[in-house]
Amino acid sequence: MNQQPFAFALRPGVLAAALLIAGAAQAQTAGSERESLETLRQTTLQLIEALVQQGVLPADKARALVAQAEARARATVAEQQKAEQNTVRIQYVPASVRQQIANEVREEVVAQAKAERWGDVNAVPEWVDRFRFDGEIRVGYQRDMFDKTNAPEVFQQIAGQNINNTLIDRDRERLRARLGLTARVTQDVTAALRLTTGSSSDPVSTNQTLGNYGSKYNFALDRAYLRARSQDVLPWLTTTAGRIPNPFFSTDLMWDDDLAFDGIALQYEDPAASTREWRPFATVGWFPLQDSERSASNAARSRSLLAAQGGVEWVPSNEFRAKVGLALYDFHNVSGVRNDFNSVTQNGTQPAFRQKGNTLFNLSNPTNFSGPFGLAADYRVLNLTTAVDYTLFNPVHLILGADYVKNIGYSRARTLARTGLNLAPEDQGYMLRAAIGMPNMLLKGDWQLSLAYRYLEADAVLDAFTDSDFHLGGTNNKGFIVGAQYGLSRNTWLSARWLSSREISGLPLSINSLQVNFHARF
C-alpha cells in the first residue's frame, strides 16, 4: 500500500529526467539531432520498463503513459509543421548586393516615370509620342507669257503634243497644301501617309489653280508606305514599299520634285559611315508604272521601271561636302506599238500620262489624225548627278550642282522600224545650278539667290516625269531659271522665280513664267 504513493512520487522525477534528456538532445547540432532523439526515446522506454519490473509502476499505467506521450509528440510535430508553412525564410544578402539591386530598381522606376510622365498633369498618353504630323501651305501667283512668234497650238496637236495654248498670256492664283503623318509602329518599322492638293491624274504637280466657282478642291493620297530598318539584322539596309518619296539622289532634270514612286526600294547606307570622310550609298528599286490586263481586245503590256544607283559622299570637314551618284533607269514596255490594219488592240500602248516633248507616232491604222499617239523611242537612261556644298561663312553656303542624262536605250534603227521615221537622236540633257545663301528657309532673315541653266533634248528622258514648271513641263527645251527666297519668320518665307525657255528643235515655242509664292511650313 505504501508503494503507490512512492510510484506517483517518482513520476515527476522520471518526466523531469526525460525533459532534461530531451533538452540535452535539442542542444545537439543539426547533423546529430535525429540520433539524439532516437537515444532519448530508447532510454525513456527502458527506464519505464525497469520501473514496471521493479513493481514501482503498473504495466497498464506504463502503456497508457507511453501512448499519451506519443500522442502529444504527434500533436507537437503537427503544430511545428503548420508553423513552418507560414514562416518566410529570408536568405542573407550582403550589403553591396542589396545596394546594387536598389540602384537598378531605382533606375528602372525613374525611366518608366519619365516615359509615362508620372506626376505631369499635362501629360499625354505614351502612344501619342509615336505619331508625328507635318504639313505645308503655299499660296502664290503665276504669270505665263508666250512669244508671239510661237507656232499655233493646232500644229503642235497634229504632231500629238499635249499643248493647249501657245500664244495667249495667262495669269493664275495657285494653292498647294500638304499634310503628312508618320507613325513609329515598332523600333524598326515606320508607316507614313501624306495627303495633298492637285489633280489625281497629274503625277508631277500638286498645285491647285484657284477659281472653281466656289467648288471644293480634291485632297488626294500622295504617299502611303512602310519603311523598315533593323538595328540588329543588316542595320545598313532600309526597305521602303508602297507609294514612296523619291529614293534617288537626283534633280528635277530627271524627276519632278512632286513625283512619288509606286513600288519598293532597297537603300544601302552604313550608319557607322556618318563619322567617316567617305560615305558610300546605293539604291535599287522596282516600280510599276502602268498596269495593263491583257485580253483579246488589249495587247498592251504592263509598264515598269527597274532602277539602280550607286555613289559616294565626301565630307572632309564641317565646312565642305561633295556628293556624286550614277544611276541607270531602265523603263520596260513604254514605247508604242502600231495597230494592225483595222485593229485597236495596241491603243493601250499609249502612255497614261504625258506632258510634251517626247517624239511620238500615230498608233492608228489606217491613220486617224486624232491619234492615239505612242512613244517612238525606248528609254534606258544613264544619269550622273553631282552636288557641292561649301560654307563660305556660317550660315552662308555656296551650293553648286550639275546633272547629266543620256538615253542609252535610244536606237535609231528600232525607232525607224517602229514608226517609219528616220529620226536623228535627241537623247541628251544637262543642268548646271549655283546658289548662295542658306540651304533651307528656317528662320527670319534667311535668304538664298540661285541661277540655273538647263538643256534637255526631246528623248533624253520621259517627258511625263521631268520638271512640270520649266517650259510648262516636258522635254525639248533649254533656258535659264533665276530664283530668290527670303525668310519672314520661323518656317515662313517668300520665294520668286523667273523661268525663261524655248524649244531646242521643231516648231517654235518660247515661254517665260513668273512665280511668286508665300510658304508656311508646320
PDB file of all heavy atoms in Angstrom, residues 245-281:
ATOM      1  N   PRO A 245       8.362  58.344-101.325  1.00  0.00           N
ATOM      2  CA  PRO A 245       9.082  59.506-101.859  1.00  0.00           C
ATOM      3  C   PRO A 245      10.250  59.058-102.728  1.00  0.00           C
ATOM      4  O   PRO A 245      10.684  57.901-102.668  1.00  0.00           O
ATOM      5  CB  PRO A 245       9.568  60.229-100.598  1.00  0.00           C
ATOM      6  CG  PRO A 245       9.577  59.185 -99.540  1.00  0.00           C
ATOM      7  CD  PRO A 245       8.481  58.228 -99.870  1.00  0.00           C
ATOM      8  N   ASN A 246      10.737  59.974-103.554  1.00  0.00           N
ATOM      9  CA  ASN A 246      11.845  59.672-104.455  1.00  0.00           C
ATOM     10  C   ASN A 246      13.040  59.133-103.665  1.00  0.00           C
ATOM     11  O   ASN A 246      13.603  59.835-102.819  1.00  0.00           O
ATOM     12  CB  ASN A 246      12.241  60.947-105.204  1.00  0.00           C
ATOM     13  CG  ASN A 246      13.342  60.707-106.227  1.00  0.00           C
ATOM     14  OD1 ASN A 246      13.876  59.616-106.359  1.00  0.00           O
ATOM     15  ND2 ASN A 246      13.688  61.740-106.962  1.00  0.00           N
ATOM     16  N   PRO A 247      13.466  57.887-103.906  1.00  0.00           N
ATOM     17  CA  PRO A 247      14.575  57.315-103.128  1.00  0.00           C
ATOM     18  C   PRO A 247      15.952  57.619-103.708  1.00  0.00           C
ATOM     19  O   PRO A 247      16.957  57.175-103.137  1.00  0.00           O
ATOM     20  CB  PRO A 247      14.289  55.819-103.194  1.00  0.00           C
ATOM     21  CG  PRO A 247      13.653  55.625-104.535  1.00  0.00           C
ATOM     22  CD  PRO A 247      12.859  56.879-104.806  1.00  0.00           C
ATOM     23  N   PHE A 248      16.016  58.366-104.824  1.00  0.00           N
ATOM     24  CA  PHE A 248      17.281  58.550-105.532  1.00  0.00           C
ATOM     25  C   PHE A 248      17.844  59.951-105.302  1.00  0.00           C
ATOM     26  O   PHE A 248      17.107  60.924-105.113  1.00  0.00           O
ATOM     27  CB  PHE A 248      17.091  58.314-107.030  1.00  0.00           C
ATOM     28  CG  PHE A 248      16.580  56.944-107.358  1.00  0.00           C
ATOM     29  CD1 PHE A 248      15.250  56.733-107.710  1.00  0.00           C
ATOM     30  CD2 PHE A 248      17.424  55.840-107.296  1.00  0.00           C
ATOM     31  CE1 PHE A 248      14.768  55.470-107.994  1.00  0.00           C
ATOM     32  CE2 PHE A 248      16.953  54.568-107.581  1.00  0.00           C
ATOM     33  CZ  PHE A 248      15.627  54.383-107.927  1.00  0.00           C
ATOM     34  N   PHE A 249      19.159  60.044-105.336  1.00  0.00           N
ATOM     35  CA  PHE A 249      19.864  61.317-105.352  1.00  0.00           C
ATOM     36  C   PHE A 249      19.761  61.856-106.781  1.00  0.00           C
ATOM     37  O   PHE A 249      20.356  61.310-107.700  1.00  0.00           O
ATOM     38  CB  PHE A 249      21.320  61.103-104.933  1.00  0.00           C
ATOM     39  CG  PHE A 249      22.209  62.299-105.119  1.00  0.00           C
ATOM     40  CD1 PHE A 249      21.861  63.543-104.613  1.00  0.00           C
ATOM     41  CD2 PHE A 249      23.409  62.177-105.801  1.00  0.00           C
ATOM     42  CE1 PHE A 249      22.687  64.640-104.791  1.00  0.00           C
ATOM     43  CE2 PHE A 249      24.245  63.260-105.990  1.00  0.00           C
ATOM     44  CZ  PHE A 249      23.876  64.496-105.473  1.00  0.00           C
ATOM     45  N   SER A 250      18.982  62.926-106.980  1.00  0.00           N
ATOM     46  CA  SER A 250      18.678  63.386-108.342  1.00  0.00           C
ATOM     47  C   SER A 250      18.238  64.842-108.311  1.00  0.00           C
ATOM     48  O   SER A 250      18.121  65.460-107.240  1.00  0.00           O
ATOM     49  CB  SER A 250      17.565  62.519-108.954  1.00  0.00           C
ATOM     50  OG  SER A 250      16.389  62.595-108.158  1.00  0.00           O
ATOM     51  N   THR A 251      17.965  65.398-109.493  1.00  0.00           N
ATOM     52  CA  THR A 251      17.409  66.742-109.634  1.00  0.00           C
ATOM     53  C   THR A 251      16.136  66.650-110.460  1.00  0.00           C
ATOM     54  O   THR A 251      15.764  65.576-110.959  1.00  0.00           O
ATOM     55  CB  THR A 251      18.406  67.688-110.325  1.00  0.00           C
ATOM     56  OG1 THR A 251      18.494  67.338-111.723  1.00  0.00           O
ATOM     57  CG2 THR A 251      19.793  67.597-109.699  1.00  0.00           C
ATOM     58  N   ASP A 252      15.475  67.808-110.637  1.00  0.00           N
ATOM     59  CA  ASP A 252      14.236  67.805-111.422  1.00  0.00           C
ATOM     60  C   ASP A 252      14.487  67.725-112.932  1.00  0.00           C
ATOM     61  O   ASP A 252      13.546  67.756-113.714  1.00  0.00           O
ATOM     62  CB  ASP A 252      13.362  69.019-111.091  1.00  0.00           C
ATOM     63  CG  ASP A 252      14.059  70.350-111.345  1.00  0.00           C
ATOM     64  OD1 ASP A 252      15.093  70.372-112.028  1.00  0.00           O
ATOM     65  OD2 ASP A 252      13.549  71.380-110.850  1.00  0.00           O
ATOM     66  N   LEU A 253      15.750  67.599-113.353  1.00  0.00           N
ATOM     67  CA  LEU A 253      16.019  67.304-114.757  1.00  0.00           C
ATOM     68  C   LEU A 253      15.482  65.912-115.100  1.00  0.00           C
ATOM     69  O   LEU A 253      14.968  65.682-116.207  1.00  0.00           O
ATOM     70  CB  LEU A 253      17.516  67.380-115.040  1.00  0.00           C
ATOM     71  CG  LEU A 253      17.948  67.258-116.506  1.00  0.00           C
ATOM     72  CD1 LEU A 253      17.578  68.511-117.280  1.00  0.00           C
ATOM     73  CD2 LEU A 253      19.448  66.977-116.614  1.00  0.00           C
ATOM     74  N   MET A 254      15.589  65.000-114.141  1.00  0.00           N
ATOM     75  CA  MET A 254      15.111  63.628-114.331  1.00  0.00           C
ATOM     76  C   MET A 254      13.739  63.425-113.695  1.00  0.00           C
ATOM     77  O   MET A 254      12.828  62.883-114.321  1.00  0.00           O
ATOM     78  CB  MET A 254      16.125  62.649-113.724  1.00  0.00           C
ATOM     79  CG  MET A 254      15.772  61.186-113.924  1.00  0.00           C
ATOM     80  SD  MET A 254      16.078  60.642-115.621  1.00  0.00           S
ATOM     81  CE  MET A 254      14.909  59.280-115.760  1.00  0.00           C
ATOM     82  N   TRP A 255      13.607  63.828-112.427  1.00  0.00           N
ATOM     83  CA  TRP A 255      12.375  63.586-111.671  1.00  0.00           C
ATOM     84  C   TRP A 255      11.836  64.885-111.089  1.00  0.00           C
ATOM     85  O   TRP A 255      12.557  65.594-110.391  1.00  0.00           O
ATOM     86  CB  TRP A 255      12.623  62.596-110.525  1.00  0.00           C
ATOM     87  CG  TRP A 255      13.255  61.299-110.906  1.00  0.00           C
ATOM     88  CD1 TRP A 255      14.492  60.856-110.549  1.00  0.00           C
ATOM     89  CD2 TRP A 255      12.675  60.261-111.714  1.00  0.00           C
ATOM     90  NE1 TRP A 255      14.732  59.617-111.079  1.00  0.00           N
ATOM     91  CE2 TRP A 255      13.630  59.216-111.800  1.00  0.00           C
ATOM     92  CE3 TRP A 255      11.455  60.107-112.368  1.00  0.00           C
ATOM     93  CZ2 TRP A 255      13.395  58.053-112.515  1.00  0.00           C
ATOM     94  CZ3 TRP A 255      11.226  58.943-113.075  1.00  0.00           C
ATOM     95  CH2 TRP A 255      12.179  57.935-113.140  1.00  0.00           C
ATOM     96  N   ASP A 256      10.578  65.179-111.331  1.00  0.00           N
ATOM     97  CA  ASP A 256       9.945  66.353-110.741  1.00  0.00           C
ATOM     98  C   ASP A 256       9.937  66.236-109.218  1.00  0.00           C
ATOM     99  O   ASP A 256       9.805  65.135-108.661  1.00  0.00           O
ATOM    100  CB  ASP A 256       8.506  66.480-111.261  1.00  0.00           C
ATOM    101  CG  ASP A 256       7.833  67.747-110.796  1.00  0.00           C
ATOM    102  OD1 ASP A 256       7.234  67.731-109.691  1.00  0.00           O
ATOM    103  OD2 ASP A 256       7.909  68.754-111.524  1.00  0.00           O
ATOM    104  N   ASP A 257      10.041  67.369-108.525  1.00  0.00           N
ATOM    105  CA  ASP A 257      10.096  67.356-107.060  1.00  0.00           C
ATOM    106  C   ASP A 257       8.819  66.808-106.424  1.00  0.00           C
ATOM    107  O   ASP A 257       8.854  66.329-105.284  1.00  0.00           O
ATOM    108  CB  ASP A 257      10.357  68.768-106.541  1.00  0.00           C
ATOM    109  CG  ASP A 257      11.751  69.265-106.896  1.00  0.00           C
ATOM    110  OD1 ASP A 257      12.639  68.420-107.129  1.00  0.00           O
ATOM    111  OD2 ASP A 257      11.950  70.498-106.954  1.00  0.00           O
ATOM    112  N   ASP A 258       7.686  66.893-107.104  1.00  0.00           N
ATOM    113  CA  ASP A 258       6.411  66.444-106.536  1.00  0.00           C
ATOM    114  C   ASP A 258       6.111  64.972-106.839  1.00  0.00           C
ATOM    115  O   ASP A 258       5.069  64.457-106.387  1.00  0.00           O
ATOM    116  CB  ASP A 258       5.250  67.294-107.075  1.00  0.00           C
ATOM    117  CG  ASP A 258       5.297  68.716-106.546  1.00  0.00           C
ATOM    118  OD1 ASP A 258       5.726  68.904-105.393  1.00  0.00           O
ATOM    119  OD2 ASP A 258       4.914  69.649-107.285  1.00  0.00           O
ATOM    120  N   LEU A 259       6.969  64.314-107.571  1.00  0.00           N
ATOM    121  CA  LEU A 259       6.687  62.952-108.005  1.00  0.00           C
ATOM    122  C   LEU A 259       6.865  61.959-106.853  1.00  0.00           C
ATOM    123  O   LEU A 259       7.843  62.010-106.115  1.00  0.00           O
ATOM    124  CB  LEU A 259       7.616  62.564-109.152  1.00  0.00           C
ATOM    125  CG  LEU A 259       7.426  61.167-109.749  1.00  0.00           C
ATOM    126  CD1 LEU A 259       6.079  61.058-110.442  1.00  0.00           C
ATOM    127  CD2 LEU A 259       8.556  60.843-110.723  1.00  0.00           C
ATOM    128  N   ALA A 260       5.911  61.038-106.715  1.00  0.00           N
ATOM    129  CA  ALA A 260       6.026  59.903-105.803  1.00  0.00           C
ATOM    130  C   ALA A 260       6.151  58.621-106.632  1.00  0.00           C
ATOM    131  O   ALA A 260       5.655  58.555-107.763  1.00  0.00           O
ATOM    132  CB  ALA A 260       4.823  59.826-104.874  1.00  0.00           C
ATOM    133  N   PHE A 261       6.810  57.620-106.070  1.00  0.00           N
ATOM    134  CA  PHE A 261       7.070  56.369-106.778  1.00  0.00           C
ATOM    135  C   PHE A 261       6.205  55.257-106.194  1.00  0.00           C
ATOM    136  O   PHE A 261       6.154  55.080-104.967  1.00  0.00           O
ATOM    137  CB  PHE A 261       8.541  55.979-106.650  1.00  0.00           C
ATOM    138  CG  PHE A 261       9.488  56.812-107.466  1.00  0.00           C
ATOM    139  CD1 PHE A 261       9.686  58.154-107.185  1.00  0.00           C
ATOM    140  CD2 PHE A 261      10.188  56.252-108.518  1.00  0.00           C
ATOM    141  CE1 PHE A 261      10.558  58.930-107.929  1.00  0.00           C
ATOM    142  CE2 PHE A 261      11.075  57.013-109.277  1.00  0.00           C
ATOM    143  CZ  PHE A 261      11.253  58.352-108.982  1.00  0.00           C
ATOM    144  N   ASP A 262       5.546  54.490-107.073  1.00  0.00           N
ATOM    145  CA  ASP A 262       4.851  53.273-106.645  1.00  0.00           C
ATOM    146  C   ASP A 262       5.828  52.104-106.750  1.00  0.00           C
ATOM    147  O   ASP A 262       6.404  51.872-107.817  1.00  0.00           O
ATOM    148  CB  ASP A 262       3.648  52.976-107.543  1.00  0.00           C
ATOM    149  CG  ASP A 262       2.583  54.050-107.454  1.00  0.00           C
ATOM    150  OD1 ASP A 262       2.630  54.854-106.517  1.00  0.00           O
ATOM    151  OD2 ASP A 262       1.703  54.083-108.335  1.00  0.00           O
ATOM    152  N   GLY A 263       5.999  51.353-105.662  1.00  0.00           N
ATOM    153  CA  GLY A 263       6.887  50.196-105.742  1.00  0.00           C
ATOM    154  C   GLY A 263       7.673  49.969-104.475  1.00  0.00           C
ATOM    155  O   GLY A 263       7.233  50.296-103.367  1.00  0.00           O
ATOM    156  N   ILE A 264       8.882  49.418-104.628  1.00  0.00           N
ATOM    157  CA  ILE A 264       9.736  49.062-103.497  1.00  0.00           C
ATOM    158  C   ILE A 264      11.165  49.492-103.786  1.00  0.00           C
ATOM    159  O   ILE A 264      11.643  49.383-104.923  1.00  0.00           O
ATOM    160  CB  ILE A 264       9.674  47.543-103.203  1.00  0.00           C
ATOM    161  CG1 ILE A 264      10.533  47.183-101.987  1.00  0.00           C
ATOM    162  CG2 ILE A 264      10.072  46.721-104.428  1.00  0.00           C
ATOM    163  CD1 ILE A 264      10.335  45.765-101.516  1.00  0.00           C
ATOM    164  N   ALA A 265      11.842  50.010-102.767  1.00  0.00           N
ATOM    165  CA  ALA A 265      13.235  50.448-102.896  1.00  0.00           C
ATOM    166  C   ALA A 265      14.044  49.903-101.735  1.00  0.00           C
ATOM    167  O   ALA A 265      13.589  49.904-100.585  1.00  0.00           O
ATOM    168  CB  ALA A 265      13.319  51.975-102.924  1.00  0.00           C
ATOM    169  N   LEU A 266      15.258  49.414-102.044  1.00  0.00           N
ATOM    170  CA  LEU A 266      16.220  48.971-101.043  1.00  0.00           C
ATOM    171  C   LEU A 266      17.384  49.948-101.065  1.00  0.00           C
ATOM    172  O   LEU A 266      17.995  50.171-102.112  1.00  0.00           O
ATOM    173  CB  LEU A 266      16.711  47.556-101.342  1.00  0.00           C
ATOM    174  CG  LEU A 266      15.640  46.475-101.531  1.00  0.00           C
ATOM    175  CD1 LEU A 266      16.294  45.132-101.864  1.00  0.00           C
ATOM    176  CD2 LEU A 266      14.782  46.342-100.281  1.00  0.00           C
ATOM    177  N   GLN A 267      17.697  50.523 -99.905  1.00  0.00           N
ATOM    178  CA  GLN A 267      18.739  51.545 -99.832  1.00  0.00           C
ATOM    179  C   GLN A 267      19.840  51.103 -98.873  1.00  0.00           C
ATOM    180  O   GLN A 267      19.566  50.662 -97.748  1.00  0.00           O
ATOM    181  CB  GLN A 267      18.143  52.874 -99.365  1.00  0.00           C
ATOM    182  CG  GLN A 267      17.152  53.472-100.367  1.00  0.00           C
ATOM    183  CD  GLN A 267      16.430  54.681 -99.809  1.00  0.00           C
ATOM    184  OE1 GLN A 267      15.480  54.558 -99.045  1.00  0.00           O
ATOM    185  NE2 GLN A 267      16.874  55.870-100.212  1.00  0.00           N
ATOM    186  N   TYR A 268      21.075  51.232 -99.341  1.00  0.00           N
ATOM    187  CA  TYR A 268      22.245  50.913 -98.526  1.00  0.00           C
ATOM    188  C   TYR A 268      22.868  52.208 -98.016  1.00  0.00           C
ATOM    189  O   TYR A 268      23.172  53.124 -98.789  1.00  0.00           O
ATOM    190  CB  TYR A 268      23.284  50.133 -99.334  1.00  0.00           C
ATOM    191  CG  TYR A 268      24.652  50.113 -98.678  1.00  0.00           C
ATOM    192  CD1 TYR A 268      24.926  49.232 -97.640  1.00  0.00           C
ATOM    193  CD2 TYR A 268      25.654  51.001 -99.077  1.00  0.00           C
ATOM    194  CE1 TYR A 268      26.167  49.221 -97.023  1.00  0.00           C
ATOM    195  CE2 TYR A 268      26.897  51.001 -98.470  1.00  0.00           C
ATOM    196  CZ  TYR A 268      27.149  50.109 -97.436  1.00  0.00           C
ATOM    197  OH  TYR A 268      28.369  50.106 -96.817  1.00  0.00           O
ATOM    198  N   GLU A 269      23.033  52.264 -96.705  1.00  0.00           N
ATOM    199  CA  GLU A 269      23.734  53.394 -96.094  1.00  0.00           C
ATOM    200  C   GLU A 269      24.219  52.935 -94.722  1.00  0.00           C
ATOM    201  O   GLU A 269      23.416  52.659 -93.829  1.00  0.00           O
ATOM    202  CB  GLU A 269      22.822  54.611 -95.959  1.00  0.00           C
ATOM    203  CG  GLU A 269      23.539  55.861 -95.494  1.00  0.00           C
ATOM    204  CD  GLU A 269      22.666  57.093 -95.524  1.00  0.00           C
ATOM    205  OE1 GLU A 269      21.510  56.983 -95.957  1.00  0.00           O
ATOM    206  OE2 GLU A 269      23.130  58.166 -95.103  1.00  0.00           O
ATOM    207  N   ASP A 270      25.522  52.843 -94.560  1.00  0.00           N
ATOM    208  CA  ASP A 270      26.110  52.330 -93.330  1.00  0.00           C
ATOM    209  C   ASP A 270      25.999  53.386 -92.233  1.00  0.00           C
ATOM    210  O   ASP A 270      26.529  54.489 -92.381  1.00  0.00           O
ATOM    211  CB  ASP A 270      27.579  51.970 -93.564  1.00  0.00           C
ATOM    212  CG  ASP A 270      28.188  51.259 -92.370  1.00  0.00           C
ATOM    213  OD1 ASP A 270      27.491  51.110 -91.351  1.00  0.00           O
ATOM    214  OD2 ASP A 270      29.362  50.853 -92.453  1.00  0.00           O
ATOM    215  N   PRO A 271      25.293  53.098 -91.112  1.00  0.00           N
ATOM    216  CA  PRO A 271      25.182  54.093 -90.035  1.00  0.00           C
ATOM    217  C   PRO A 271      26.530  54.529 -89.489  1.00  0.00           C
ATOM    218  O   PRO A 271      26.697  55.682 -89.096  1.00  0.00           O
ATOM    219  CB  PRO A 271      24.348  53.362 -88.967  1.00  0.00           C
ATOM    220  CG  PRO A 271      23.636  52.278 -89.695  1.00  0.00           C
ATOM    221  CD  PRO A 271      24.544  51.868 -90.818  1.00  0.00           C
ATOM    222  N   ALA A 272      27.490  53.617 -89.483  1.00  0.00           N
ATOM    223  CA  ALA A 272      28.812  53.957 -88.955  1.00  0.00           C
ATOM    224  C   ALA A 272      29.553  54.931 -89.857  1.00  0.00           C
ATOM    225  O   ALA A 272      30.500  55.592 -89.425  1.00  0.00           O
ATOM    226  CB  ALA A 272      29.644  52.688 -88.767  1.00  0.00           C
ATOM    227  N   ALA A 273      29.121  55.042 -91.129  1.00  0.00           N
ATOM    228  CA  ALA A 273      29.822  55.916 -92.076  1.00  0.00           C
ATOM    229  C   ALA A 273      29.554  57.393 -91.814  1.00  0.00           C
ATOM    230  O   ALA A 273      30.226  58.255 -92.392  1.00  0.00           O
ATOM    231  CB  ALA A 273      29.408  55.568 -93.508  1.00  0.00           C
ATOM    232  N   SER A 274      28.581  57.723 -90.964  1.00  0.00           N
ATOM    233  CA  SER A 274      28.251  59.128 -90.713  1.00  0.00           C
ATOM    234  C   SER A 274      29.395  59.883 -90.052  1.00  0.00           C
ATOM    235  O   SER A 274      29.418  61.118 -90.065  1.00  0.00           O
ATOM    236  CB  SER A 274      27.002  59.222 -89.839  1.00  0.00           C
ATOM    237  OG  SER A 274      27.216  58.593 -88.588  1.00  0.00           O
ATOM    238  N   THR A 275      30.347  59.171 -89.478  1.00  0.00           N
ATOM    239  CA  THR A 275      31.509  59.811 -88.856  1.00  0.00           C
ATOM    240  C   THR A 275      32.763  59.715 -89.719  1.00  0.00           C
ATOM    241  O   THR A 275      33.820  60.179 -89.302  1.00  0.00           O
ATOM    242  CB  THR A 275      31.788  59.158 -87.492  1.00  0.00           C
ATOM    243  OG1 THR A 275      32.045  57.758 -87.688  1.00  0.00           O
ATOM    244  CG2 THR A 275      30.588  59.320 -86.547  1.00  0.00           C
ATOM    245  N   ARG A 276      32.617  59.118 -90.911  1.00  0.00           N
ATOM    246  CA  ARG A 276      33.779  58.940 -91.780  1.00  0.00           C
ATOM    247  C   ARG A 276      33.848  60.021 -92.841  1.00  0.00           C
ATOM    248  O   ARG A 276      32.862  60.692 -93.134  1.00  0.00           O
ATOM    249  CB  ARG A 276      33.733  57.566 -92.439  1.00  0.00           C
ATOM    250  CG  ARG A 276      33.727  56.393 -91.454  1.00  0.00           C
ATOM    251  CD  ARG A 276      33.503  55.095 -92.176  1.00  0.00           C
ATOM    252  NE  ARG A 276      33.345  53.957 -91.260  1.00  0.00           N
ATOM    253  CZ  ARG A 276      32.848  52.789 -91.611  1.00  0.00           C
ATOM    254  NH1 ARG A 276      32.470  52.578 -92.869  1.00  0.00           N
ATOM    255  NH2 ARG A 276      32.727  51.816 -90.714  1.00  0.00           N
ATOM    256  N   GLU A 277      34.997  60.117 -93.459  1.00  0.00           N
ATOM    257  CA  GLU A 277      35.178  61.112 -94.516  1.00  0.00           C
ATOM    258  C   GLU A 277      34.500  60.676 -95.806  1.00  0.00           C
ATOM    259  O   GLU A 277      33.919  61.498 -96.509  1.00  0.00           O
ATOM    260  CB  GLU A 277      36.680  61.328 -94.737  1.00  0.00           C
ATOM    261  CG  GLU A 277      36.996  62.410 -95.757  1.00  0.00           C
ATOM    262  CD  GLU A 277      38.481  62.699 -95.828  1.00  0.00           C
ATOM    263  OE1 GLU A 277      39.203  62.403 -94.842  1.00  0.00           O
ATOM    264  OE2 GLU A 277      38.941  63.211 -96.872  1.00  0.00           O
ATOM    265  N   TRP A 278      34.554  59.385 -96.111  1.00  0.00           N
ATOM    266  CA  TRP A 278      33.936  58.844 -97.318  1.00  0.00           C
ATOM    267  C   TRP A 278      32.705  58.029 -96.908  1.00  0.00           C
ATOM    268  O   TRP A 278      32.798  57.130 -96.068  1.00  0.00           O
ATOM    269  CB  TRP A 278      34.916  57.971 -98.091  1.00  0.00           C
ATOM    270  CG  TRP A 278      36.080  58.743 -98.635  1.00  0.00           C
ATOM    271  CD1 TRP A 278      37.298  58.916 -98.055  1.00  0.00           C
ATOM    272  CD2 TRP A 278      36.123  59.473 -99.865  1.00  0.00           C
ATOM    273  NE1 TRP A 278      38.108  59.696 -98.832  1.00  0.00           N
ATOM    274  CE2 TRP A 278      37.409  60.059 -99.964  1.00  0.00           C
ATOM    275  CE3 TRP A 278      35.206  59.692-100.892  1.00  0.00           C
ATOM    276  CZ2 TRP A 278      37.798  60.845-101.040  1.00  0.00           C
ATOM    277  CZ3 TRP A 278      35.595  60.471-101.975  1.00  0.00           C
ATOM    278  CH2 TRP A 278      36.867  61.037-102.048  1.00  0.00           C
ATOM    279  N   ARG A 279      31.563  58.341 -97.528  1.00  0.00           N
ATOM    280  CA  ARG A 279      30.297  57.728 -97.135  1.00  0.00           C
ATOM    281  C   ARG A 279      29.580  57.170 -98.370  1.00  0.00           C
ATOM    282  O   ARG A 279      28.871  57.898 -99.076  1.00  0.00           O
ATOM    283  CB  ARG A 279      29.415  58.759 -96.439  1.00  0.00           C
ATOM    284  CG  ARG A 279      30.116  59.428 -95.258  1.00  0.00           C
ATOM    285  CD  ARG A 279      29.332  60.579 -94.673  1.00  0.00           C
ATOM    286  NE  ARG A 279      30.086  61.257 -93.629  1.00  0.00           N
ATOM    287  CZ  ARG A 279      29.652  62.313 -92.943  1.00  0.00           C
ATOM    288  NH1 ARG A 279      28.447  62.812 -93.214  1.00  0.00           N
ATOM    289  NH2 ARG A 279      30.413  62.869 -92.010  1.00  0.00           N
ATOM    290  N   PRO A 280      29.738  55.888 -98.646  1.00  0.00           N
ATOM    291  CA  PRO A 280      29.092  55.303 -99.834  1.00  0.00           C
ATOM    292  C   PRO A 280      27.588  55.129 -99.607  1.00  0.00           C
ATOM    293  O   PRO A 280      27.110  55.005 -98.473  1.00  0.00           O
ATOM    294  CB  PRO A 280      29.801  53.955 -99.982  1.00  0.00           C
ATOM    295  CG  PRO A 280      30.258  53.622 -98.600  1.00  0.00           C
ATOM    296  CD  PRO A 280      30.589  54.922 -97.936  1.00  0.00           C
ATOM    297  N   PHE A 281      26.842  55.079-100.721  1.00  0.00           N
ATOM    298  CA  PHE A 281      25.409  54.818-100.664  1.00  0.00           C
ATOM    299  C   PHE A 281      25.003  54.098-101.943  1.00  0.00           C
ATOM    300  O   PHE A 281      25.691  54.160-102.966  1.00  0.00           O
ATOM    301  CB  PHE A 281      24.604  56.120-100.504  1.00  0.00           C
ATOM    302  CG  PHE A 281      24.723  57.080-101.663  1.00  0.00           C
ATOM    303  CD1 PHE A 281      23.809  57.044-102.715  1.00  0.00           C
ATOM    304  CD2 PHE A 281      25.743  58.019-101.707  1.00  0.00           C
ATOM    305  CE1 PHE A 281      23.923  57.919-103.782  1.00  0.00           C
ATOM    306  CE2 PHE A 281      25.860  58.906-102.773  1.00  0.00           C
ATOM    307  CZ  PHE A 281      24.942  58.856-103.814  1.00  0.00           C
TER     308      PHE A 281
END
